[in-house]
Amino acid sequence: MTAGFKGSAEALQRWRAMRQLLSLPVVSIGVAFGCALVWVLMVFQSLGIFHNFANGEAIMDAVYLISIVSTTATLALIAVFHRQVRGILGTNPMRIIIPASLAASTFLMYATGVPGTLGVVAIGASGVLSGVSSAFFLMYFGVTLGLLPLRESIVAIATGYGLSTVAFSLYLFFSPFEATVCAATTAPLGAVFLYYGVHTLGLQKQQEHDPLPPQQMPENPDERRLLRRLTAAFSLSMLVVGVAYELSRTLYVRMGAFAAGEVGDYALVQVVVTTVVSLGSMGLALALASAKSSWGPQVCYRLTVLFLLVGVFLLPAPLIFPGLSTFLPLAVNNASFLCLNMMMWVLLTGTCRRFFTSCLRTFATVRCAWAAGPLCGMLVGRWLLAEGQLTVPTLFAAALICAVLLLLMESFMFTERTLGETLELMPRSQQGHFQESCRRVAQRYGLTDREREVMVLFAKGRTLPYIQKELYLSKSTVSTHRQHIYQKLGVHTSQEMIDLIQRERV
């Protein structure tokens, strides 16, 4: 009878966990994330807004160049002045101003085709405004996903990537005015979904006017070194991958003549990309959230890098085999880059979650390099086209550059060791040495099973609201357990408790 009750209780707990994982607020945050992702695709990876302009592609390139430079510079400034940004990022006026500015910049792009001074001003204004606004809009998702539990953040990220590719494939059939209105509404719509998800889950209920803790580096020297090493690895790897991706995409676009209006085939490519990304997202989610070791995630990482290399080596194929469409290589290139992006979003937000007092600087630094990569790739691609035109030797040179960059990333920048270190920060169900240390501490100091569970979560840097949801306890109960744990361990702060656990591990 007891076993039956226990089994029923476990089944009920799993059902509640599944409902929480796929809850409407979590999916809402994923939809908001998808709106942020699809805006970039709509504005800068199609000629939807600029299609009717006589020199539409040149105008789009000019706006994109200004925008990506502005984004990179803004993220760099946020990383430097993260303490000042902390106080204003979560305020209600900023929640309105940022998406409204992104929408306004999109409408300005519709005026960039006007001849004369007005068109030039529109190009500069829309580029700067879109770059600054999109940088701040991205910061909201870095913070929000860092507040969510790991599995919920994975669901939100996978939802965002799947939604963005589906929405983009439909967007390709819009006229320029419809495309402008559609792209402009993504940011305000995303802000509404984000607000609903954050406030329904109560992620910032305790600190409405100051949602982030004081931003400072970890006090522990080992943790400080680890955070710096992971930040450098993420930044350098996304910088070089961004160069490889944008260089390939620039040359594919030239070969594919997308301005000629081959929308149907291009939309079909996006459907294929959606399917691949969705399957890849599910695989990465299972590997990252459920793996008992780093073996599963390492396999996913190897496959993703291999996928990227396949896309690179297909680069010269359309010129070598004239009958081969550029859409297939472009689909492989896009899908592989999006899969790696999704994986990096999961790892980056997991790192920000663990080092939440340094999350703004960490996220802004990595995203700055993430934005600079495509900028460099586009410039290299334009230079190759200007110097050697679109020839087989030019494409082989580009493929060689991309392959070298990817191999450098895999061998020296973001290695499997880095992946393993990042996974150690993830709150997975089993983490060998850490769990064993916690078990020995609980046994030595006479903690109850429930106190041990609470201690483990606090030691992982979980917040009080997170533990309430994770263990289905009230706020007062969690606070009482924390007081008892501190009394039994003879400590006064969570950092002292973590230090005690680390000494036990050594």
Side-chain angles (χ1 to χ4, degrees), residues 321-494:
F321 306 100
L324 179 66
S325 171
T326 58
F327 294 121
L328 177 60
L330 180 62
V332 174
N333 195 48
N334 284 346
S336 59
F337 185 68
L338 290 178
C339 284
L340 180 66
N341 276 1
M342 200 222 85
M343 186 177 201
M344 293 302 294
W345 263 100
V346 173
L347 297 176
L348 177 57
T349 54
T351 303
C352 290
R353 182 185 301 108
R354 175 62 182 83
F355 300 105
F356 201 60
T357 57
S358 305
C359 65
L360 285 183
R361 179 162 63 179
T362 301
F363 185 80
T365 301
V366 176
R367 283 301 314 186
C368 177
W370 203 325
L375 171 63
C376 297
M378 183 188 73
L379 295 177
V380 172
R382 299 296 181 187
W383 176 76
L384 286 173
L385 289 171
E387 292 295 320
Q389 300 304 317
L390 197 62
T391 63
V392 174
T394 300
L395 294 176
F396 268 114
L400 181 61
I401 292 172
C402 294
V404 169
L405 288 174
L406 293 175
L407 291 174
L408 285 173
M409 178 208 70
E410 198 271 339
S411 301
F412 300 105
M413 297 172 189
F414 191 79
T415 63
E416 291 183 358
R417 177 194 171 191
T418 309
L419 179 61
E421 288 178 334
T422 311
L423 292 171
E424 282 294 318
L425 303 175
M426 301 294 183
R428 294 175 291 157
S429 58
Q430 295 186 18
Q431 287 189 354
H433 297 299
F434 174 77
Q435 291 288 352
E436 179 61 18
S437 299
C438 291
R439 185 193 65 78
R440 289 201 299 264
V441 168
Q443 185 177 19
R444 175 178 299 177
Y445 292 91
L447 302 186
T448 65
D449 290 341
R450 179 60 82 183
E451 287 171 348
R452 175 186 167 188
E453 288 181 320
V454 174
M455 180 189 71
V456 169
L457 291 172
F458 273 122
K460 289 179 178 179
R462 303 302 89 202
T463 62
L464 192 145
Y466 175 95
I467 297 175
Q468 287 178 245
K469 293 190 300 179
E470 185 74 8
L471 301 181
Y472 303 101
L473 299 175
S474 66
K475 177 181 177 182
S476 60
T477 302
V478 176
S479 297
T480 301
H481 281 312
R482 179 169 58 183
Q483 291 175 0
H484 291 167
I485 292 167
Y486 285 180
Q487 290 172 359
K488 291 182 178 181
L489 299 185
V491 300
H492 301 89
T493 66
S494 60

Side-chain angles (χ1 to χ4, degrees), residues 98-269:
I98 291 173
S101 299
L102 200 55
S105 71
T106 310
F107 282 117
L108 272 174
M109 293 176 191
Y110 194 66
T112 54
V114 177
T117 305
L118 184 60
V120 175
V121 171
I123 290 174
S126 62
V128 172
L129 189 59
S130 64
V132 174
S133 303
S134 60
F136 275 99
F137 202 45
L138 281 173
M139 293 302 299
Y140 279 123
F141 294 98
V143 173
T144 302
L145 294 171
L147 287 167
L148 284 174
L150 175 64
R151 296 190 180 188
E152 292 181 11
S153 67
I154 288 176
V155 169
I157 291 169
T159 300
Y161 271 98
L163 175 67
S164 65
T165 47
V166 171
F168 181 54
S169 64
L170 298 176
Y171 168 86
L172 293 171
F173 293 96
F174 291 171
S175 67
F177 180 74
E178 292 171 339
T180 304
V181 173
C182 181
T185 57
T186 56
L189 190 63
V192 172
F193 278 106
L194 183 64
Y195 181 87
Y196 169 79
V198 167
H199 285 267
T200 303
L201 292 173
L203 296 180
Q204 297 177 356
K205 189 180 296 182
Q206 305 298 324
Q207 306 176 82
E208 181 66 29
H209 301 293
D210 197 6
L212 292 171
Q215 294 293 290
Q216 57 187 5
M217 291 294 286
E219 295 180 2
N220 186 293
D222 292 335
E223 289 196 341
R224 191 158 54 244
R225 283 191 292 269
L226 175 61
L227 177 58
R228 286 172 176 165
R229 187 163 63 248
L230 292 179
T231 302
F234 290 151
S235 301
L236 290 174
S237 61
M238 294 314 295
L239 176 67
V240 298
V241 171
V243 172
Y245 167 73
E246 189 62 31
L247 173 57
S248 302
R249 198 187 72 83
T250 298
L251 299 180
Y252 280 135
V253 168
R254 290 295 184 185
M255 286 188 290
F258 293 110
E262 300 176 16
V263 174
D265 291 338
Y266 193 27
L268 179 61
V269 168

